[in-house]
Amino acid sequence: MPATADCDPRPVTLPPPRGVLFDYGGTLVEEAAFDATAGMNTLLAHLQHPLAIPRDAIIERAELVAREIKARRDEFQIETPWVSVTHLTYDCFGLRFTRPIPELELAFWSASVTTHPMPGARETLFALGQMGLRLGVVSNSSFRSHAIRHELAKHGLADPLSIVLASADYAVRKPNPLLFEAAAGLLGVPARELWFVGDRLDTDMAGARAAGMTPVWFSPNGGESDAVALTVTSFEELLEQIQLAAA
């Protein structure tokens, strides 16, 4: 339901949360850039032998793998981890690395990903933690949770979080409720007592609702949807709404 009804200006009473789960990209951080070429160069710096094929051939192969996977990934809500994608890209050339590919994941991430924290996110996370709420992240990502937590830590966002879940570790993607249910179990809070805050209606809100959580739409530009319990335009507003619900 929308946050307010046209016939009644009073705010809708929401159940006070015992915990809050957040989406990652578009919610806690803004994904400013993804430089796949820089990531590829980092991998190639760890080759066992000098590169004997054109780099353009690797780029072409990576684009083919991405096209093959992308449509199926969203249609079937199945995640393809970065490790598997990387094997599909490089193994066909017989390329070998000086370290196992899973160990190179964070190096690739650090070279290719640039993010900025959302305004007010850090202050709100720490305030919610001080209220005694259990906090976590559920992200659709081909990178595993250690990469997501690493990026959050760069912005001072990781310490209040009890858990960070990435779809790469669980095979399924949002909006599949299985991922949300796993997060609730690890957080130690029943799904019905959790708020889920995310910026996408089709994945975050739909999945949270299917799992029995309170879906809170983070939409800096505003808007309403019957698929959410509440819309907030900033982290300051989110904190105010949680404090009101807990009062």
Side-chain angles (χ1 to χ4, degrees):
M1 65 182 71
T4 58
D6 293 339
C7 61
D8 189 345
R10 295 172 299 175
V12 173
T13 301
L14 297 177
R18 286 181 52 203
V20 184
L21 290 168
F22 295 87
D23 171 50
Y24 163 73
T27 303
L28 288 177
V29 303
E30 177 186 7
E31 296 176 313
F34 181 79
D35 187 347
T37 299
M40 181 187 75
N41 290 337
T42 296
L43 288 183
L44 295 180
H46 291 85
L47 282 176
Q48 288 183 355
H49 305 288
L51 185 64
I53 61 172
R55 288 173 179 253
D56 287 348
I58 299 175
I59 294 172
E60 183 177 348
R61 173 69 178 185
E63 291 173 348
L64 171 64
V65 170
R67 288 196 303 271
E68 287 291 316
I69 289 172
K70 184 176 181 180
R72 294 169 177 81
R73 183 183 66 180
D74 293 334
E75 179 181 358
F76 297 107
Q77 300 172 17
I78 297 296
E79 187 60 84
T80 307
W82 176 88
V83 170
S84 299
V85 172
T86 301
H87 275 300
L88 286 171
T89 301
Y90 292 89
D91 285 4
C92 74
F93 300 112
L95 298 177
R96 295 291 182 266
F97 299 90
T98 57
R99 295 164 56 192
I101 283 180
E103 293 183 9
L104 294 171
E105 181 177 18
L106 191 56
F108 182 97
W109 172 282
S110 297
S112 59
V113 173
T114 302
T115 66
H116 304 299
M118 287 294 188
R122 183 178 183 276
E123 295 79 3
T124 296
L125 288 180
F126 277 91
L128 295 177
Q130 290 173 354
M131 292 174 62
L133 300 181
R134 301 275 288 170
L135 306 177
V137 166
V138 180
S139 175
N140 271 354
S141 175
S142 61
F143 293 89
R144 292 174 294 168
S145 60
H146 71 123
I148 305 298
R149 184 175 279 278
H150 167 81
E151 192 68 20
L152 291 167
K154 285 167 52 176
H155 304 305
L157 299 171
D159 286 347
L161 301 172
S162 298
I163 63 167
V164 175
L165 268 69
S167 54
D169 292 316
Y170 287 85
V172 298
R173 290 171 58 83
K174 297 180 290 186
N176 195 310
L178 293 174
L179 194 61
F180 294 82
E181 292 161 359
L186 289 178
L187 206 58
V189 179
R192 66 181 179 279
E193 298 181 40
L194 288 169
W195 287 20
F196 191 96
V197 182
D199 68 308
R200 289 188 55 168
L201 295 173
D202 58 339
T203 55
D204 300 321
M205 300 297 94
R209 187 167 185 152
M213 301 176 184
T214 298
V216 178
W217 187 22
F218 178 75
S219 178
N221 295 324
E224 292 186 355
S225 170
D226 291 337
V228 305
L230 175 70
T231 300
V232 295
T233 60
S234 67
F235 275 93
E236 292 79 7
E237 184 179 359
L238 173 66
L239 178 59
E240 291 174 0
Q241 291 294 335
I242 293 176
Q243 290 171 334
L244 283 173

